Amino acid sequence: MSAGAAPAPTQHAVPGWLPWLFFGLLVLPMHPLWADFEQVRRGLLLLLAGACLIGLPRLPRLAGEGAWLAFVGFLVASAVINLAGQWIARTPDQPLSFQWWDAAYRLQHWFALLVVLRVGAATATTAALPLALLLIVSSAYGLLQRLGLAEWQGYGVEREPVSLFGNLNVAAEWTAAAATAVAVMLPRLLAPRARLLAQVAIGLAAAYLVVDRSRSGLVALPLVLLLLGLLTRRREAFVPLLLALAGGLAGLAVNLAAPLPPPADPVAATAERQRGTATLQVRFEIAKGSWHLCAESPLFGHGPGQFAVQYPRVRSQDEIELSSDRRRFQSEVRTAHDDWLELVVDGGLPGLLLFAAALFALQRAQREKVLTLPLLAVLLMMLVRSPLTNAPAAVAALWFVGVPVTAAVAGRRRRIGQVLLGVVMIGFGVLPVLGNSLFVPYLAAAARGEPRPAGALAAAAAVMPFEPRWLSLLAQQELILADAANARFDRDAYARHVDDAARFAARAVQLRPFDPTLYQWLVEALAKANKFPAAFELANHALKLDPNNPDLRQALSATLAQQGRSDAAIAAVVVEPHPRLREALTRHFAGLTAAAKARRDDQGAARFAVEHHFLAAVDGLGDVNPAALDRTGSHVQQMVSSMREVGMRPDVRTLAVSALHYLDLGRHDDAIQLGDTAQKLTTPLVPWQRALFGDHLLRLDRYGSWPTVLSR
């Protein structure tokens, strides 16, 4: 469509209150215990778009709309090609990984954004005021959170003023896009009160962006406001930029007047100081993995919505370490944090080019280029974030872009198609809203330290069968119940819970076949069901995806222990353990010892007890508190006793830990004597044992024969 295309008349039988409903439902609904705020709001967008398709038969078609439909059509073809290719090439060792639920949601999201373009084209003149009011509400709420005045059940604390959106970056995306939209519509607001509200909204938005601290919004908003002034070349066009600068200064004043309380945890304080550098490194690592996916399928991509499915295959160890604060918690990457790159992963290079062509066609038809500036703000943020799937931000960016060309009533077949698509959108949209709401009692009970209601979790999983996080939690819950049943010797209940855990974990793995964190629960369930070969195979498969995963290595070790392979179970965790695994080793071997005793495997229990008491003794070295010295001495004695039970003779390791304990006791002569004994042994200290000692061995270098012994 050429730039000179004649727009349709302004009346399109679309109610003027629709922007209030659209933006109100996308911005205001929130609950502090929603598991995924963005998921809920994408569901609300589908509900709204579906209702519009059904209830508004005279929605205008747009200039350049065909290019958008061509883009979505190519994504449909990409989905079909990927699904068919995987179906043809599937083998027992390589099942289908394509997730049609994710593909369907992503395709409907693109259709919903087309509906937004149409609705926005019909209601552009009435959308500025609701946008301004909602921007005031969200920004003011975020500022109150920053001042410590609006915390709700741990949500919106001073250090994380997330406003209504559950995430600082998501809040910043909406704020920057909406503030730009209000700025470009400011000259069209003739009523003095409306203009005043818009000006207040821009200032508050800038103040909030400063306290939010998300760099994407802080960079995008002033750039597009400066461009707004340059494009119009009128003095008043720079007013929004001046308002934003004033608001930014107000945000700085808030930060100075209310300094952030220091983190209570020193580790958290260090992580916060390194956050900026770590974030850039994470983005770089994600981009590297994403480019690997792009190179695998540059023509058709991996299919819409498949990034979260495929990315774990190429996820680097560095990215995992950075994203999880050195594996202090589990982390996942559901977006590329770069929408341009994710478009290539989903639809290949043609998909990216078609998306760019669609945007070009829309902006070419729009004679008032300033109305495309909210979209430009989002396009800038797309370089480092994923605002296209942030429903409020995407809607604010696209609302004013479209140019209507016809308002004719659709033909009967087209109308039936619109209604059917609307019904499907509503059906899909209600699921994430309902699922996250049903999950709230589970999280509320967890926050209060109360028993977590199994029904809430099961209901969320039933409503959202495509969400692996519910299934993973169900598997963990069933494993806990299985352990409880085993403790009371209820074999029937134990078997039932183990089977249920395996079923839930297998479904989660089916949804994310390359996510190693989900395999942990399936491996544990299979081992408890005595399906050791399958558990062993799955654990090794998952460790190929994430070799340093502490939980998987412990699961593999437990599986080997249940098979009676004690030495292999020990080797699975003691050779080059991750620091988080090293911290857990004492507890891990205590658990293996108890489990072996429960199986009446006395030899296995004694073998694991050797490692448990060795590590407990090492962990206690250097603490000269009398009680600590007694504990360490007890562990050394029990280690020696357990070695006798399994026929192990004292070795260099035993003598070294004993000598170090003597040093703590001040008995240096005894430590030297043990060094002379160790020199007579022919076997050296093996590498993994040396590594578990850490720096403690350096203390022995000054005593008797120990330097010679330790140099072997």
Side-chain angles (χ1 to χ4, degrees), residues 324-342:
S324 61
D325 191 15
R326 306 300 172 186
R327 298 186 186 265
R328 294 185 182 277
F329 50 84
Q330 289 186 350
S331 64
E332 62 175 343
V333 178
R334 293 201 168 198
T335 71
H337 295 280
D338 180 337
D339 273 333
W340 299 104
L341 193 52
E342 191 164 339

Side-chain angles (χ1 to χ4, degrees), residues 40 81 129 246 283 362 369 379 480 505 509 524 529 593 620 641 711:
V40 172
I81 290 170
L129 187 56
R283 297 289 191 271
L362 290 169
K369 300 303 181 186
L379 296 180
I480 293 171
V509 167
E524 185 174 343
T593 302
S641 176
S711 65

Side-chain angles (χ1 to χ4, degrees), residues 121-304:
T123 61
T125 56
T126 60
L129 187 56
L131 256 180
L133 285 172
L134 289 168
L135 185 57
I136 289 174
V137 170
S138 64
S139 300
Y141 188 42
L143 288 166
L144 289 173
Q145 290 173 345
R146 173 61 183 83
L147 292 169
L149 301 175
E151 180 182 344
W152 181 11
Q153 297 185 34
Y155 173 90
V157 297
E158 291 175 77
R159 306 193 72 83
E160 296 285 331
V162 294
S163 185
L164 298 161
F165 302 95
N167 180 280
L168 292 171
N169 291 316
V170 173
E173 291 162 9
W174 147 258
T175 303
T180 306
V182 172
V184 300
M185 295 300 291
L186 183 60
R188 295 163 177 78
L189 294 173
L190 302 179
R193 288 184 179 179
R195 289 181 64 86
L196 179 61
L197 284 172
Q199 291 167 350
V200 170
I202 295 169
L204 281 176
Y208 172 70
L209 286 175
V210 170
V211 303
D212 175 282
R213 295 174 295 165
S214 177
R215 287 168 292 191
S216 58
L218 279 172
V219 172
L221 181 61
L223 281 179
V224 293
L225 292 184
L226 176 61
L227 186 58
L228 171 63
L230 295 175
L231 283 174
T232 52
R233 297 181 182 179
R234 295 196 303 268
R235 185 182 306 172
E236 59 270 21
F238 289 95
V239 169
L241 179 60
L242 296 176
L243 291 169
L245 292 175
L249 292 174
L252 286 174
V254 169
N255 284 335
L256 293 173
L260 289 172
D265 182 3
V267 175
T270 302
E272 181 165 303
R273 288 194 300 270
Q274 298 173 347
R275 177 185 294 180
T277 303
T279 299
L280 292 175
Q281 289 176 318
V282 168
R283 297 289 191 271
F284 178 71
E285 291 295 330
I286 293 175
K288 284 201 303 184
S290 300
W291 279 115
H292 282 300
L293 293 176
C294 296
E296 289 177 354
S297 184
L299 291 181
F300 294 102
H302 294 275

Side-chain angles (χ1 to χ4, degrees), residues 265-470:
D265 182 3
V267 175
T270 302
E272 181 165 303
R273 288 194 300 270
Q274 298 173 347
R275 177 185 294 180
T277 303
T279 299
L280 292 175
Q281 289 176 318
V282 168
R283 297 289 191 271
F284 178 71
E285 291 295 330
I286 293 175
K288 284 201 303 184
S290 300
W291 279 115
H292 282 300
L293 293 176
C294 296
E296 289 177 354
S297 184
L299 291 181
F300 294 102
H302 294 275
Q306 302 305 299
F307 175 86
V309 181
Q310 297 292 331
Y311 176 72
R313 279 196 300 112
V314 296
R315 194 178 186 190
S316 71
Q317 294 295 295
D318 287 342
E319 189 267 299
I320 294 173
E321 295 290 324
L322 292 166
S323 296
S324 61
D325 191 15
R326 306 300 172 186
R327 298 186 186 265
R328 294 185 182 277
F329 50 84
Q330 289 186 350
S331 64
E332 62 175 343
V333 178
R334 293 201 168 198
T335 71
H337 295 280
D338 180 337
D339 273 333
W340 299 104
L341 193 52
E342 191 164 339
L343 283 165
V344 183
V345 174
D346 280 5
L349 289 173
L352 175 65
L353 294 175
L354 286 170
F355 176 74
L359 296 183
F360 178 78
L362 290 169
Q363 70 82 29
R364 185 184 181 196
Q366 178 56 259
R367 293 175 178 175
E368 297 185 72
K369 300 303 181 186
V370 294
L371 295 180
T372 65
L373 289 180
L375 176 59
L376 177 61
V378 165
L379 296 180
L380 289 174
M381 291 186 287
M382 282 169 55
L383 292 169
V384 291
R385 287 288 304 155
S386 299
L388 284 178
T389 51
N390 177 351
V395 170
L398 292 172
W399 196 270
F400 304 99
V401 173
V403 175
V405 292
T406 176
V409 177
R412 185 169 180 271
R413 290 184 178 179
R414 183 183 294 271
R415 180 64 188 143
I416 291 173
Q418 288 179 349
V419 170
L420 289 176
L421 180 58
V423 170
V424 171
M425 281 186 171
I426 291 174
F428 273 73
V430 74
L431 299 183
V433 178
L434 184 57
N436 278 269
S437 300
L438 289 171
F439 187 60
V440 164
Y442 183 93
L443 285 179
R448 295 191 298 266
E450 299 174 355
R452 303 173 190 185
L457 185 54
V463 168
M464 297 175 64
F466 49 86
E467 179 51 73
R469 76 183 86 189
W470 314 142

Side-chain angles (χ1 to χ4, degrees), residues 18-203:
L18 195 55
W20 291 91
L21 179 65
F22 239 97
F23 287 109
L25 283 180
L26 288 178
V27 173
L28 294 178
M30 61 83 65
H31 193 289
L33 296 179
W34 276 344
D36 192 329
F37 283 67
E38 288 187 88
Q39 194 177 59
V40 172
R41 286 191 164 90
R42 286 193 294 271
L44 290 171
L45 175 58
L46 292 183
L47 287 171
L48 289 165
C52 288
L53 285 175
I54 295 172
L56 300 175
R58 295 182 63 85
L59 271 179
R61 300 186 68 183
L62 306 175
E65 176 178 302
W68 190 278
L69 290 173
F71 162 64
V72 178
F74 182 81
L75 290 181
V76 172
S78 170
V80 172
I81 290 170
N82 277 281
L83 179 58
Q86 289 188 22
W87 182 268
I88 294 170
R90 75 188 188 284
T91 65
D93 296 330
Q94 188 176 3
L96 288 174
S97 64
F98 187 87
Q99 301 300 318
W100 72 268
W101 277 102
D102 297 83
Y105 267 105
R106 185 56 54 88
L107 290 171
Q108 287 178 83
H109 183 74
W110 292 118
F111 276 119
L113 293 181
L114 177 58
V115 175
V116 167
L117 285 163
R118 288 183 170 187
V119 174
T123 61
T125 56
T126 60
L129 187 56
L131 256 180
L133 285 172
L134 289 168
L135 185 57
I136 289 174
V137 170
S138 64
S139 300
Y141 188 42
L143 288 166
L144 289 173
Q145 290 173 345
R146 173 61 183 83
L147 292 169
L149 301 175
E151 180 182 344
W152 181 11
Q153 297 185 34
Y155 173 90
V157 297
E158 291 175 77
R159 306 193 72 83
E160 296 285 331
V162 294
S163 185
L164 298 161
F165 302 95
N167 180 280
L168 292 171
N169 291 316
V170 173
E173 291 162 9
W174 147 258
T175 303
T180 306
V182 172
V184 300
M185 295 300 291
L186 183 60
R188 295 163 177 78
L189 294 173
L190 302 179
R193 288 184 179 179
R195 289 181 64 86
L196 179 61
L197 284 172
Q199 291 167 350
V200 170
I202 295 169

